[in-house]
Amino acid sequence: MSTAHPPFRAHQRTLRALVAAIASGEARDVTDILAAVTPGGGKSLLPVIAAAHLIPAGRIERVVWVVPRDSLRLQAEEAFADPVWRRALGHAASLRAADNEPDPARGLSGYVTTYQAVAAAPGLHLAEARRHRTLLVVDEVHHLPMPAARRGEEPDDDEAGAWSRAMRPLLAAAACRLLLSGTLERADGRRILGLPYHPASAGAPPMIDLDAPGLAVIGYSRAQALAERAVLPVNFGALDGEASWLEGGRAAGQSRVGPHRLSGGGVRATTRPALFTALRTGFASDLLSEAFHATRRLRARRRRERGLGAGEAAPGLGKLLVVAPDQASARRYLAALRAWMPAEQGERDVRLATSSAQDAAGALAAFRLRPEPAVLVTVAMAYEGLDAPEVAVVAALTHIRSRPWLEQMLARATRVDPHAGPYAGQQALVFHPDDPLFARFRAELEAEQGHAARPRPDRPPSALNPEREVWRDDDPGGITPLESNALGLRYALLRPRTPEPARGAGAAGIAPVLVEPPSLTERALRQRLSAQVAAQAVEDEANLRLPRGGSLVHRYNAVLKRVLGKGRATMTLPELEAALAWLERNRLGDHLHHLEADARYAWSERQRRGRWMPERVAGR
């Protein structure tokens, strides 16, 4: 008997039982829930599960979900709007993506915002949390370092410090807190805001107090996720190479260094500059080519299996994510990828999403939700939280080697794609430089899962070196990259020894239904209102119902605002729908009397006329 929804995973079942106990009063002392879920394990459903139980029970009135980047707000909305889980959980809650405007929830069950927005208007969000019993969801909580508290500590003057200072009173004001993260450590070793810790010990790293009063901890490891077939096994394609560069300053002259192997047998003084050089010279092009052609072969094979034509678009064919070391390199990678395709196809299929790229958010959304584009080039915008199950191949052209960062990047390709066929036929393919630091990261994953990677017999693997050394993620100074080239590619498949499917896992192939989140619905309704107001203005001018001159659209917008009592920008969804219904039954030209003796409209009209008068005079 098939179920109507995919089975709940272990951590989702645990949270469901916990919030049911909180709602019934059995666990009334629990106010903080820490969910440490492996990247790609499905933590975005946890706030929905919590809200579905705690709102009807009256434990909370509103959900405020804070995410680290604007691109994640839409995904949070979609989690609440997904009709499959609305039926499964029997909930009717909706969240909207909000900026720092008044009334961010607009009559819904809550809103989604960003750390940046909270830091820009902390008073607004704090007042909302104090006005309603709030479940505060802090997504990727490891982004928030504990603010400096003791005398003598350096103040936090970075962006993360500003986020923490703004979030701290919000955490205190919330009735309940749900803290989500794929990693419970920071690369800088600092404590994480909102988590309880044991007293500090000299020379020891911070230790979270998992038995702190009021705290419940839910864990979901990568080993558990693989056993439940919640994530895919990973096939690593490690590319070795050689690199040469110049060292020294202009005053002392520069000397050539190298060629040096990327693998090098262990972490050495040349490891970092060799990797830095490789990512910006010929080696990068070779690795990018391997990933590109692997993606082409995968898409061609899946097309043949489905009987699709060569240029026919369809979901589930597989996509390529390229993670670059910096924006300049990202643009070079973009140009190279497009050069390997016909011009029209390259413009359609390969997109760029960096902080300085135009329409980066649109590129991310299209990559997530449409069959095309099939390739996305980014630096850091998409490495964490991007929910794009069609990503099957990653080109890891990044110099960063901190474990949390690499785990997040890896997780972009380990999501199960419901459109790509059976689970057994899917796997993530990650191409990366064969440096000893990436090898160390992979060895740690293998050790934690209780198994080792199995290299392909036709390519002998180089020795993994788990040697530890302090590694800086920023660029090395004083070197000028010269050249690099690839030498050899080897594969190692990382999978559990006994991948037993979870009970009921056969329903995982149910395809998700695309839904429209509240913020997009609001935008569409506002656009329809604007179009109807403009249409009435054009019709009335053409029919000479009203004198020409000035801006009739501006006048009609003012009439609509006076009639309805508020502007479109602050309307809730029901109010926007009511405004459209009113416009369908009424003509704005019949309600111009609302502007008589209206000082606000008269002032704004004078401002508009004054702004445009010089152009009218100049045009004579």
Side-chain angles (χ1 to χ4, degrees):
M1 179 177 176
S2 62
T3 59
H5 60 84
F8 288 101
R9 298 168 185 175
H11 62 297
Q12 295 165 350
R13 295 193 298 271
T14 301
L15 178 71
R16 197 176 183 191
L18 174 60
V19 293
I22 295 173
S24 67
E26 296 178 37
R28 62 169 57 89
D29 294 335
V30 175
T31 56
D32 294 85
I33 303 171
L34 171 61
V37 180
T38 188
K43 66 178 181 294
S44 62
L45 186 60
L46 299 183
V48 185
I49 294 173
H53 287 79
L54 298 180
I55 291 177
R59 292 300 301 265
I60 63 168
E61 299 170 330
R62 180 172 288 186
V63 178
V64 176
W65 189 343
V66 188
V67 297
R69 280 177 311 285
D70 185 70
S71 58
L72 300 180
R73 293 191 306 165
L74 180 61
Q75 292 179 205
E77 281 189 294
E78 290 171 347
F80 271 84
D82 190 323
V84 172
W85 294 114
R86 290 174 82 87
R87 289 194 299 270
L89 293 167
H91 82 89
S94 294
L95 269 59
R96 67 181 295 271
D99 293 315
N100 289 334
E101 70 271 14
D103 188 19
R106 303 287 168 83
L108 299 180
S109 305
Y111 63 93
V112 189
T113 189
T114 61
Y115 293 141
Q116 297 93 325
V118 173
L124 169 70
H125 300 283
L126 182 58
E128 289 291 323
R130 287 172 173 169
R131 189 175 296 119
H132 307 275
R133 288 193 302 277
T134 298
L135 168 64
L136 179 64
V137 181
V138 186
D139 210 343
E140 307 298 352
V141 68
H142 60 273
H143 281 287
L144 302 176
M146 189 77 75
R150 294 189 296 271
R151 186 173 299 176
E153 291 183 349
E154 294 185 4
D156 304 306
D157 56 359
D158 58 349
E159 184 179 47
W163 295 352
S164 295
R165 289 193 299 274
M167 288 293 297
R168 197 172 206 171
L170 197 59
L171 283 161
C176 299
R177 288 158 290 275
L178 175 58
L179 311 178
L180 309 176
S181 182
T183 175
L184 292 180
E185 60 179 304
R186 287 179 53 85
D188 58 11
R190 297 172 65 181
R191 296 185 175 199
I192 297 171
L193 180 68
L195 300 186
Y197 285 86
H198 289 288
S201 301
M207 295 292 293
I208 298 174
D209 183 2
L210 301 180
D211 297 319
L215 176 68
V217 181
I218 297 172
Y220 192 61
S221 68
R222 177 166 169 78
Q224 288 176 288
L226 281 167
E228 289 193 326
R229 296 193 170 192
V231 298
L232 297 172
V234 183
N235 196 9
F236 290 101
L239 189 65
D240 199 4
E242 292 181 332
S244 301
W245 60 92
L246 295 177
E247 262 184 5
R250 290 186 176 180
Q254 289 186 310
S255 58
R256 182 185 178 97
V257 179
H260 285 282
R261 289 285 291 267
L262 283 177
S263 54
V267 179
R268 301 176 177 177
T270 57
T271 298
R272 183 170 169 238
L275 181 59
F276 180 85
T277 298
L279 298 177
R280 291 158 178 83
T281 48
F283 173 89
S285 179
D286 293 336
L287 191 148
L288 192 63
S289 177
E290 290 283 352
F292 172 76
H293 286 96
T295 308
R296 286 189 62 180
R297 290 192 295 271
L298 173 65
R299 290 173 66 85
R301 176 174 62 81
R302 289 182 176 178
R303 277 198 175 95
R304 287 195 303 271
E305 291 171 351
R306 299 185 190 183
L308 299 174
E312 192 171 349
L317 297 179
K319 294 188 176 186
L320 168 63
L321 177 66
V322 180
V323 184
D326 52 56
Q327 296 196 36
S329 298
R331 290 189 291 271
R332 287 196 299 271
Y333 299 166
L334 176 74
L337 287 161
R338 286 179 170 174
W340 296 335
M341 303 179 180
E344 183 178 349
Q345 182 185 359
E347 291 291 329
R348 182 190 69 233
D349 279 0
V350 187
R351 299 288 296 276
L352 179 70
T354 62
S355 58
S356 63
Q358 291 185 347
D359 195 29
L364 277 173
F367 184 71
R368 286 182 54 238
L369 302 174
R370 300 175 184 167
E372 296 168 345
V375 183
L376 184 72
V377 183
T378 185
V379 178
M381 285 188 69
Y383 93 93
E384 181 181 72
L386 176 69
D387 187 9
E390 287 190 77
V391 173
V393 184
V394 174
L397 288 160
T398 172
H399 61 275
I400 298 177
R401 290 296 179 266
S402 70
R403 174 167 176 170
W405 207 99
L406 290 175
E407 285 183 328
Q408 290 284 354
M409 180 186 66
L410 191 72
R412 298 319 106 207
T414 59
R415 283 167 163 76
V416 180
D417 185 358
H419 299 286
Y423 175 90
Q426 299 184 50
Q427 67 177 21
L429 179 56
V430 178
F431 290 90
H432 63 90
D434 195 11
D435 60 275
L437 288 157
F438 201 105
R440 183 186 73 191
F441 159 72
R442 195 175 67 207
E444 289 175 351
L445 287 185
E446 295 163 356
E448 288 179 4
Q449 294 178 196
H451 63 277
R454 300 181 308 192
R456 286 187 177 181
D458 58 337
R459 294 183 185 271
S462 63
L464 297 180
N465 191 315
E467 177 184 355
R468 294 189 175 275
E469 181 174 300
V470 176
W471 179 264
R472 292 175 56 84
D473 285 339
D474 54 352
D475 296 340
I479 78 165
T480 303
L482 289 179
E483 60 186 2
S484 64
N485 60 282
L487 296 177
L489 177 67
R490 63 187 180 90
Y491 289 91
L493 182 62
L494 184 62
R495 67 160 74 243
R497 283 176 180 164
T498 56
E500 294 294 335
R503 189 175 300 174
I510 297 176
V513 179
L514 295 181
V515 296
E516 186 173 68
S519 63
L520 297 186
T521 306
E522 288 178 12
R523 188 183 310 164
L525 291 175
R526 285 194 291 266
Q527 290 172 347
R528 287 175 58 190
L529 276 172
S530 297
Q532 288 202 22
V533 170
Q536 286 198 22
V538 170
E539 291 170 2
D540 288 351
E541 279 195 348
N543 296 331
L544 299 179
R545 292 189 59 194
L546 293 167
R548 294 180 182 273
S551 172
L552 193 54
V553 172
H554 173 59
R555 193 181 311 179
Y556 276 9
N557 278 324
V559 169
L560 186 63
K561 185 174 182 179
R562 302 305 182 270
V563 169
L564 300 177
K566 65 192 309 185
R568 295 193 292 272
T570 59
M571 287 183 181
T572 65
L573 277 172
E575 289 170 341
L576 288 168
E577 292 169 349
L580 278 169
W582 187 90
L583 272 180
E584 290 173 356
R585 300 190 306 269
N586 296 274
R587 300 293 303 183
L588 291 166
D590 298 330
H591 296 267
L592 286 172
H593 59 275
H594 286 280
L595 300 182
E596 294 176 2
D598 189 322
R600 290 174 299 169
Y601 172 72
W603 179 87
S604 64
E605 185 65 16
R606 284 196 301 271
Q607 294 296 109
R608 294 174 62 86
R609 287 178 178 273
R611 185 165 61 248
W612 292 104
M613 186 62 71
E615 295 189 12
R616 293 199 191 100
V617 173
R620 289 180 179 175

